[in-house]
Amino acid sequence: MSKMERPLGPEKKHYWLASSMAKATGVDLVAAADQGQLSQSEWADAVQRCRGCGWVGGCQAWMGAQVEGGAEVPAACVNSDLFQSLKP
């Protein structure tokens, strides 16, 4: 493994982190999927990106300070573009 690569985090943990980020920022993942805005493959890619993210500690601390649905997507989130595109 090179210096630039980091081990991927646990799938279940990062699934919940990505889901929690969506909720914190007002993104309804089920509605996005139902409306054809988010495919299963795109969601799997988002979780995979989260697994490789180096901001996990900051992410968890940030989410701990949020009220569900009212936050702006933080730029440090590796899925910020996706979540921003899915915001109502």
Side-chain angles (χ1 to χ4, degrees):
M1 186 179 307
S2 74
K3 282 184 171 181
M4 298 303 288
E5 293 177 21
R6 68 176 10 91
L8 295 177
E11 285 181 22
K12 188 180 278 189
K13 175 181 180 175
H14 289 274
Y15 168 85
W16 288 112
L17 283 173
S19 294
S20 296
M21 179 64 74
K23 285 182 184 177
T25 59
V27 173
D28 184 337
L29 295 170
V30 173
D34 288 347
Q35 296 168 6
Q37 296 174 307
L38 181 67
S39 69
Q40 283 187 320
S41 176
E42 290 167 326
W43 176 239
D45 289 346
V47 173
Q48 189 72 355
R49 280 190 298 274
C50 184
R51 290 181 68 206
C53 182
W55 189 58
V56 174
C59 174
Q60 291 173 311
W62 179 88
M63 279 194 280
Q66 304 308 308
V67 175
E68 188 174 307
E72 288 298 316
V73 182
C77 176
V78 294
N79 289 307
S80 61
D81 290 343
L82 174 66
F83 292 139
Q84 193 62 40
S85 74
L86 297 173
K87 283 186 74 112

